[in-house]
Amino acid sequence: MQEHKTDSGIEIKPLYNTPVKENELPGKFPYTRGIQEDMYRGKLWTMRQYAGFSTAEESNNRYKFLLAQGTTGLSVAFDLPTQIGYDSSHDLADGEVGKAGVAIDTLRDIEILFDGISLEKITTSMTINATASILLSMYIALAKKQGADIKNISGTIQNDILKEYAARGTYIYPPKPSMRIITDIFEYCSKEVPKWNTISISGYHIREAGSTAVQELAFTLANGKAYLKEAIAKGLDINVFAKRLSFFFNAHNNLFEEVAKFRAARRMWAHITKELGATDAKAQMLRFHTQTGGSTLTAQQPYNNVARVTLQALAAVMGGTQSLHTNGFDEALALPTEQAAQLALRTQQIIAHESGVTSTPDPLGGSYFVEALTNEVEALAWDYIKRIDEMGGAVAAIEAGFIQKEIASSAYAYQRAIQSGEKIIVGQNKFTTDETHITQLLTVDDSIRKLQMDKIEKVKSERDNIAVVNALAQLEQAARDGSNVMPHILHATESYATLGEMADVMRNVFGEYRS
């Protein structure tokens, strides 16, 4: 008989009759079956389409298009220079401005990005890490200019630097000062912007780098545990700050394993937070955003990706996600066109309103297979976390290269399985054709950099440069003496200091990380 395994290598038996845990109910500790009793009967997940490219003007047009199509939350992609703290005018930004996301250099760009969009009426997720403190400050500054009560604005910054060292690479500062900035954000937001989710602990990029589902779960929760301990050591109350932590997971094609991963994640996080002192139920709940798997999309026969995205979105919904982004079918080739983005959103809407899977919480709960798989995924993830704890935690495991090595080994094994034909990818290594590729693709012209440079020069010519110098000096002093840097970043932002100027001040104090 042919052997069947999940993508994490868990053997699938021909038959399951494992007893179900009778005491696990939706909305009750340890939240395996969901964090709300009625789940989507009460409120659907946020349909949050990830978008951002070229200039703030172009991205603003896309956001308004998505909102008109029924998107219920915005999700901002930033270009690489913005992510690693370089202005568009920096030599290292050449060739990358506006390519992987929108270019943001000053508060003026944020003003354009959200022109005509009330920040009190929309939630915004920002995929930003090393410069998360700066982009959040720009968002707060704009909300204040709009006349909003910043205690009412809501959204999420990714702000998960540990996975950058392990899987993604858009870090600036070494781990210790990076962790310090993150806990500064926790502390500041708990008082000033209490509805803001101050970190989205990300397994998505760990999975994109080649991990298995089990590794994605284990390494993400290990990172989450490290953030909890760092904040507790700073004197923050876990029952306060843990309520504003969220997670960001990937969804791949193995539907049942993905559902099991999401269920296991909630159960594990509930126990981790409880063991570290959380007594408030909301501080024990794992809330998460899901994005369908970018690395699963194929450039060959790209319309096949519509089926892949549908499977992945279905897994996320049946796994109990709080928000969801569905990828465009053309994203293996370029940034998504409006047509691809609209179809991706429609996929979510069809699942929400036509599939019937939203009628009951945890619709796969009680399945012998899913319950057994949830237990197996959890057990394997705990084994990884135990090994990481024995090394001294996630930071030590990353510095030792353990997590990176595990991800690389899994990525290598997966690619070998595809090349050998053991793992079938429809249209890529089996059922192939000589079809013509999509002709309509979204491209970003290199002239965008010149436009951004002109904007920077205009802002510098109009701002009060003495005020900028003073604000940057105050930021430097706070970085050196251990004060919370957030009020000083906000002050510099409101003075129209550039992102690069603020990041450079902290570079000079904290240094740069070299892997």
Side-chain angles (χ1 to χ4, degrees):
M1 183 182 292
Q2 182 183 357
E3 189 179 47
H4 290 260
K5 292 183 178 181
T6 71
D7 289 342
S8 292
I10 298 170
E11 184 181 353
I12 301 173
K13 301 173 186 176
L15 177 67
Y16 286 84
N17 56 5
T18 306
V20 177
K21 294 185 178 181
E22 297 290 344
N23 62 336
E24 291 194 339
L25 295 171
K28 303 295 182 184
F29 185 92
Y31 312 107
T32 310
R33 303 194 62 197
I35 61 173
Q36 289 107 13
E37 290 183 14
D38 59 355
M39 280 305 288
Y40 302 129
R41 280 194 174 203
K43 181 185 177 184
L44 290 174
W45 64 92
T46 301
M47 299 182 191
R48 191 184 300 281
Q49 287 302 106
Y50 184 52
F53 62 96
S54 185
T55 61
E57 291 87 348
E58 289 288 342
S59 292
N60 177 262
N61 290 335
R62 176 62 65 89
Y63 296 154
K64 288 176 178 175
F65 169 79
L66 289 170
L67 290 169
Q69 299 303 313
T71 292
T72 53
L74 298 177
S75 186
V76 184
F78 298 97
D79 71 359
L80 287 175
T82 303
Q83 291 181 47
I84 55 177
Y86 292 122
D87 290 335
S88 297
S89 54
H90 196 285
D91 288 346
L92 292 178
D94 191 13
E96 290 293 345
V97 176
K99 294 293 180 70
V102 62
I104 301 294
D105 292 302
T106 69
L107 175 57
R108 182 61 189 139
D109 286 319
I110 290 289
E111 292 166 358
I112 298 167
L113 187 67
F114 293 103
D115 180 52
I117 299 171
S118 172
L119 301 191
E120 270 193 303
K121 294 180 180 178
I122 195 76
T123 64
T124 303
S125 174
M126 295 189 278
T127 303
I128 197 70
N129 297 283
T131 54
S133 57
I134 298 172
L135 270 299
L136 175 58
S137 294
M138 289 181 177
Y139 195 87
I140 293 169
L142 175 59
K144 289 168 67 177
K145 290 190 75 171
Q146 287 185 351
D149 180 350
I150 64 169
K151 292 190 184 304
N152 290 330
I153 64 170
S154 59
T156 305
I157 43 172
Q158 192 165 105
N159 200 28
D160 174 10
I161 203 63
L162 292 180
K163 65 93 177 50
E164 297 296 327
Y165 302 119
R168 192 162 176 266
T170 60
Y171 45 73
I172 302 174
Y173 320 111
K176 286 185 179 178
S178 292
M179 294 291 277
R180 174 257 177 107
I181 294 170
I182 288 170
T183 53
D184 280 357
I185 294 171
F186 288 176
E187 182 179 50
Y188 177 83
C189 288
S190 67
K191 298 171 184 174
E192 304 296 333
V193 199
K195 292 185 179 180
W196 196 268
N197 295 323
T198 50
I199 192 168
S200 177
I201 305 159
S202 175
Y204 184 85
H205 303 99
I206 290 171
R207 192 68 174 281
E208 290 294 283
S211 80
T212 65
V214 166
Q215 289 171 336
E216 177 193 0
L217 174 59
F219 300 157
T220 305
L221 296 191
N223 288 347
K225 191 173 180 181
Y227 293 125
L228 291 178
K229 288 186 171 182
E230 188 78 13
I232 291 168
K234 191 169 183 173
L236 303 184
D237 184 352
I238 190 171
N239 284 311
V240 175
F241 76 81
K243 293 177 185 177
R244 305 320 308 173
L245 272 60
S246 64
F247 287 81
F248 174 24
F249 287 115
N250 211 315
H252 277 212
N253 294 327
N254 195 314
L255 186 143
F256 293 107
E257 182 176 43
E258 294 302 306
V259 171
K261 177 188 74 180
F262 299 135
R263 300 175 88 248
R266 280 190 293 269
R267 188 156 70 200
M268 293 174 72
W269 187 245
H271 287 294
I272 288 170
T273 52
K274 187 175 182 180
E275 287 169 10
L276 289 175
T279 54
D280 190 305
K282 289 189 181 298
Q284 298 170 341
M285 292 178 181
L286 182 145
R287 298 166 297 118
F288 69 99
H289 169 73
T290 310
Q291 181 173 338
T292 56
S295 62
T296 68
L297 304 179
T298 62
Q300 302 89 348
Q301 300 181 27
Y303 291 109
N304 292 348
N305 295 327
V306 175
R308 294 185 178 103
V309 169
T310 303
L311 271 176
Q312 294 162 10
L314 195 59
V317 171
M318 291 198 288
T321 194
Q322 276 61 66
S323 70
L324 177 61
H325 163 80
T326 34
N327 290 329
F329 64 83
D330 54 359
E331 287 192 63
L333 298 161
L335 294 170
T337 60
E338 283 193 357
Q339 178 201 15
Q342 183 186 60
L343 180 57
L345 176 60
R346 294 287 182 262
T347 302
Q348 292 197 48
Q349 292 165 335
I350 290 168
I351 291 172
H353 300 290
E354 298 184 31
S355 71
V357 298
T358 60
S359 296
T360 185
D362 190 29
L364 293 181
S367 156
Y368 291 142
F369 177 40
V370 171
E371 295 292 348
L373 196 53
T374 301
N375 294 340
E376 288 189 72
V377 167
E378 180 184 8
L380 290 170
W382 279 127
D383 285 345
Y384 263 120
I385 290 176
K386 181 181 178 183
R387 291 165 70 184
I388 290 168
D389 285 344
E390 288 170 351
M391 294 178 191
V395 175
I398 289 167
E399 290 177 336
F402 169 74
I403 292 175
Q404 297 93 310
K405 188 179 293 184
E406 289 294 305
I407 295 170
S409 295
S410 294
Y412 178 68
Y414 186 78
Q415 191 59 37
R416 285 195 64 182
I418 292 173
Q419 290 177 344
S420 69
E422 178 187 348
K423 177 74 177 175
I424 294 172
I425 306 296
V426 173
Q428 182 175 315
N429 66 354
K430 196 165 186 178
F431 313 113
T432 59
T433 63
D434 296 326
E435 70 167 45
T436 303
H437 288 311
I438 298 171
T439 55
Q440 184 186 358
L441 293 174
L442 180 64
T443 59
V444 177
D445 194 272
D446 285 331
S447 64
I448 295 303
R449 184 174 184 235
K450 178 64 167 59
L451 293 175
Q452 287 299 119
M453 290 169 69
D454 290 344
K455 282 188 195 175
I456 294 171
E457 288 306 309
K458 189 172 190 296
V459 167
K460 286 183 175 181
S461 70
E462 294 175 348
R463 71 188 186 181
D464 182 342
N465 283 294
I466 294 174
V468 172
V469 170
N470 289 336
L472 293 175
Q474 291 168 22
L475 172 57
E476 180 178 2
Q477 182 60 38
R480 291 191 187 280
D481 66 22
S483 302
N484 192 307
V485 295
M486 278 300 293
H488 303 286
I489 294 173
L490 179 59
H491 178 45
T493 291
E494 291 176 324
S495 302
Y496 287 86
T498 71
L499 174 136
E501 288 171 334
M502 289 182 272
D504 281 348
V505 165
M506 291 186 281
R507 272 190 184 92
N508 292 336
V509 176
F510 301 137
E512 290 190 82
Y513 179 71
R514 294 285 184 267
S515 62

